[in-house]
Amino acid sequence: MADKRKRRRADPSSSDEESDGALPFKKHLKSDATILTSLKALTTSSATPSTSKTLTLSDLSLSSTCREVADLPLTSVQSIIETLALSLAKSILSGSGFSFSVPSRSSANQLYVPELDRIVLKDKTSTRPYSNVSTVRKTTITTRILQLIHQLCLKNIHVTKRDLFYTDVKLFQDQAQSDAVLDDVSCILGCTRSSLNVVAAEKGVVVGRLIFSDNGDMIDCTKMGMGGKAIPPNIDRVGDMQSDALFILLVEKDAAYMRLAEDRFYNRFPCIIVTAKGQPDVATRLFLRKMKLELKLPVLALVDSDPYGLKILSVYGCGSKNMSYDSANLTTPDIKWLGVRPSDLDKYKIPEQCRLPMTEQDIKTGKDLLEEDFVKKNPGWVEELNLMVKTKQKAEIQALSSFGFQYLSEVYLPLKLQQRDWL
């Protein structure tokens, strides 16, 4: 009986209903060799060096003055802090008290630059005086953070944001407060947050066709098991990247990542799979950018078919408003939206019971995204978002599991790659 079932499944002349019963659309797949040939052409075009110079803010004549931070060595950070401390001391001795001039990171002080395809910070600043009762606490926190960063410079060590918080819990009260001031300090000093030697705890992971050195140790990401290699929080210790991959697959969620890693999708279609397990952290954004620029590989993104999936994709590609001051170092150019897209729900016949109704907040978020310049510049994104808002339906990547747990790796992604179906 089992043999009969096997013969029936393998018979290409069987009816559509029978052949699609287990894995719909699998009959449309061409051979892996044919798909790989198409992908090699994509990789070649991505690796072709551009004759045009990479644009920077200084190359553009913008109506608004914008600011960006730079990746500075510890000695420079230390010197800037000491110069700032000296000027504050002089102000106090002259009887003027002291205050910080802090670049505003509010939404009103953000600007999307189409030529750069990323969000940047404009030059509006606010004064944070110690003598004002409404700002005295935040000014104290700013001073304390500067003192701690100076200690890190002297000792040449890294700490996590959590470590920083626990140095003065009574003052900071909540880690969100010390984290926010840490970003303010980066803006004040004009350096990237990585330059401060303060990192977030490890979150992102990578697996697949990638070899790189981590603080001198060579890491082969094909031999890291299903869990993959944790992305180092301090990206400055990562180097010597080597790969025979044809593309980088950026995955929003850990569940989809684990499915692809266990199925060793990267061996069938040579690729590097990376995820931040939800909201992108700084280390994963830096690591993705480093891979893209050094390996010159196309980046294809797999996110949920909801407004938040597209927001996550946009953070990788255009930057976040919270860290727009460092968008030059944190954004990865030209990420393609592979799936899951709103049009895929009908195209791949996702069952109604696997689709979720959008909440009022979801719909509002979708409509807000349609007003964003970084969305408007891509007609394909606008079309997909309009469809999502119109149908009021969303779906997670895991909705594909309704056709089988391995449908994502065996049919959906191979078919997407075969059809070059990305935006």
Side-chain angles (χ1 to χ4, degrees), residues 5 20 41 72 151 167 201 205 210 217 242 256 265 284 350 394:
R5 279 202 301 269
D20 285 359
L72 300 179
Q151 289 180 20
T167 59
V205 286
L210 174 69
D217 298 323
Q242 307 165 37
F265 182 79
T284 304
I350 303 295
K394 61 181 181 179

Side-chain angles (χ1 to χ4, degrees), residues 64-124:
S64 302
T65 305
C66 300
R67 65 172 70 232
E68 282 189 317
V69 297
D71 207 6
L72 300 179
L74 277 183
T75 51
S76 297
V77 175
Q78 178 183 335
S79 177
I80 295 170
I81 293 175
E82 290 169 354
T83 301
L84 176 60
L86 188 60
S87 68
L88 295 179
K90 287 180 179 178
S91 178
I92 293 170
L93 291 173
S94 68
S96 303
F98 78 96
S99 63
F100 294 104
S101 178
V102 184
S104 170
R105 294 186 290 116
S106 66
S107 296
N109 202 38
Q110 315 279 343
L111 177 68
Y112 173 73
V113 183
E115 295 88 344
L116 303 177
D117 192 21
R118 56 184 171 85
I119 301 168
V120 299
L121 190 67
K122 294 193 283 188
D123 66 343
K124 181 182 177 183

Side-chain angles (χ1 to χ4, degrees), residues 43-203:
T43 306
T44 302
S45 64
S46 295
T48 303
S50 174
T51 54
S52 59
K53 176 191 170 187
T54 302
L55 286 175
T56 62
L57 264 182
S58 57
D59 297 323
L60 304 174
S61 300
L62 300 176
S63 57
S64 302
T65 305
C66 300
R67 65 172 70 232
E68 282 189 317
V69 297
D71 207 6
L72 300 179
L74 277 183
T75 51
S76 297
V77 175
Q78 178 183 335
S79 177
I80 295 170
I81 293 175
E82 290 169 354
T83 301
L84 176 60
L86 188 60
S87 68
L88 295 179
K90 287 180 179 178
S91 178
I92 293 170
L93 291 173
S94 68
S96 303
F98 78 96
S99 63
F100 294 104
S101 178
V102 184
S104 170
R105 294 186 290 116
S106 66
S107 296
N109 202 38
Q110 315 279 343
L111 177 68
Y112 173 73
V113 183
E115 295 88 344
L116 303 177
D117 192 21
R118 56 184 171 85
I119 301 168
V120 299
L121 190 67
K122 294 193 283 188
D123 66 343
K124 181 182 177 183
T125 59
S126 61
T127 302
R128 189 175 291 173
Y130 183 74
S131 58
N132 190 310
V133 68
S134 65
T135 57
V136 61
R137 188 169 170 277
K138 210 161 189 179
T139 305
T140 306
I141 294 175
T142 305
T143 308
R144 180 69 168 134
I145 295 285
L146 282 166
Q147 179 198 10
L148 294 169
I149 298 300
H150 188 256
Q151 289 180 20
L152 295 180
C153 293
L154 292 174
K155 295 179 180 180
N156 192 18
I157 58 173
H158 290 80
V159 298
T160 66
K161 293 192 294 181
R162 194 68 176 167
D163 288 328
L164 202 70
F165 166 66
Y166 271 106
T167 59
D168 207 330
V169 176
K170 286 187 177 179
L171 172 63
F172 299 144
Q173 295 182 3
D174 185 272
Q175 188 179 331
Q177 296 189 42
S178 59
D179 287 354
V181 173
L182 185 65
D183 284 325
D184 289 339
V185 166
S186 288
C187 293
I188 292 169
L189 301 179
C191 66
T192 63
R193 204 176 75 188
S194 303
S195 301
L196 304 179
N197 272 20
V198 180
V199 299
E202 291 181 346
K203 181 186 176 191

Side-chain angles (χ1 to χ4, degrees), residues 198-306:
V198 180
V199 299
E202 291 181 346
K203 181 186 176 191
V205 286
V206 59
V207 73
R209 310 291 273 262
L210 174 69
I211 298 174
F212 67 93
S213 64
D214 181 358
N215 206 25
D217 298 323
M218 295 307 295
I219 308 295
D220 185 345
C221 293
T222 61
K223 299 176 180 177
M224 301 305 296
M226 193 174 82
K229 170 72 173 77
I231 292 173
N234 41 330
I235 208 70
D236 54 335
R237 75 185 191 188
V238 172
D240 194 24
M241 286 186 167
Q242 307 165 37
S243 177
D244 63 349
L246 298 178
F247 60 96
I248 299 166
L249 184 59
L250 174 63
V251 182
E252 176 188 349
K253 287 189 168 176
D254 192 31
Y257 167 88
M258 288 177 63
R259 174 76 277 129
L260 295 170
E262 185 176 29
D263 291 349
R264 296 190 182 272
F265 182 79
Y266 53 82
N267 284 336
R268 182 180 175 189
F269 299 101
C271 65
I272 303 166
I273 307 172
V274 63
T275 183
K277 303 177 184 178
Q279 284 294 333
D281 60 308
V282 169
T284 304
R285 292 167 67 184
L286 287 168
F287 192 81
L288 179 66
R289 177 180 172 83
K290 190 177 182 69
M291 285 195 296
K292 165 78 174 179
L293 297 182
E294 290 194 11
L295 302 175
K296 294 179 171 53
L297 293 174
V299 181
L300 307 177
L302 178 67
V303 298
D304 286 341
S305 177
D306 62 25

Side-chain angles (χ1 to χ4, degrees), residues 245-420:
L246 298 178
F247 60 96
I248 299 166
L249 184 59
L250 174 63
V251 182
E252 176 188 349
K253 287 189 168 176
D254 192 31
Y257 167 88
M258 288 177 63
R259 174 76 277 129
L260 295 170
E262 185 176 29
D263 291 349
R264 296 190 182 272
F265 182 79
Y266 53 82
N267 284 336
R268 182 180 175 189
F269 299 101
C271 65
I272 303 166
I273 307 172
V274 63
T275 183
K277 303 177 184 178
Q279 284 294 333
D281 60 308
V282 169
T284 304
R285 292 167 67 184
L286 287 168
F287 192 81
L288 179 66
R289 177 180 172 83
K290 190 177 182 69
M291 285 195 296
K292 165 78 174 179
L293 297 182
E294 290 194 11
L295 302 175
K296 294 179 171 53
L297 293 174
V299 181
L300 307 177
L302 178 67
V303 298
D304 286 341
S305 177
D306 62 25
Y308 306 102
L310 190 55
K311 283 186 78 171
I312 285 172
L313 173 54
S314 69
V315 168
Y316 282 111
C318 306
S320 65
K321 291 183 177 180
N322 188 47
M323 296 191 71
S324 58
Y325 65 89
D326 196 14
S327 64
N329 300 294
L330 292 174
T331 53
T332 301
D334 196 29
I335 299 179
K336 308 294 186 185
W337 186 9
L338 184 65
V340 175
R341 302 203 301 271
S343 59
D344 288 343
L345 303 190
D346 286 338
K347 180 179 178 181
Y348 288 88
K349 300 179 181 177
I350 303 295
E352 286 294 327
Q353 66 267 26
C354 297
R355 307 183 192 192
L356 300 170
M358 291 175 68
T359 64
E360 289 301 317
Q361 183 59 47
D362 291 335
I363 295 170
K364 181 182 181 302
T365 303
K367 289 179 178 178
D368 289 345
L369 276 173
L370 284 167
E371 297 302 315
E372 296 284 0
D373 291 332
F374 60 80
V375 171
K376 289 179 181 178
K377 69 156 180 93
N378 194 324
W381 286 26
V382 173
E383 185 178 343
E384 293 286 350
L385 258 178
N386 275 322
L387 177 62
M388 185 190 300
V389 172
K390 179 183 177 182
T391 60
K392 298 181 180 180
Q393 288 185 324
K394 61 181 181 179
E396 298 185 3
I397 301 168
Q398 282 66 47
L400 296 164
S401 298
S402 60
F403 301 125
F405 292 121
Q406 294 178 297
Y407 188 77
L408 174 68
S409 57
E410 290 191 0
V411 179
Y412 179 77
L413 286 179
L415 197 56
K416 281 274 188 178
L417 295 174
Q418 173 184 304
Q419 297 172 346
R420 300 169 70 95

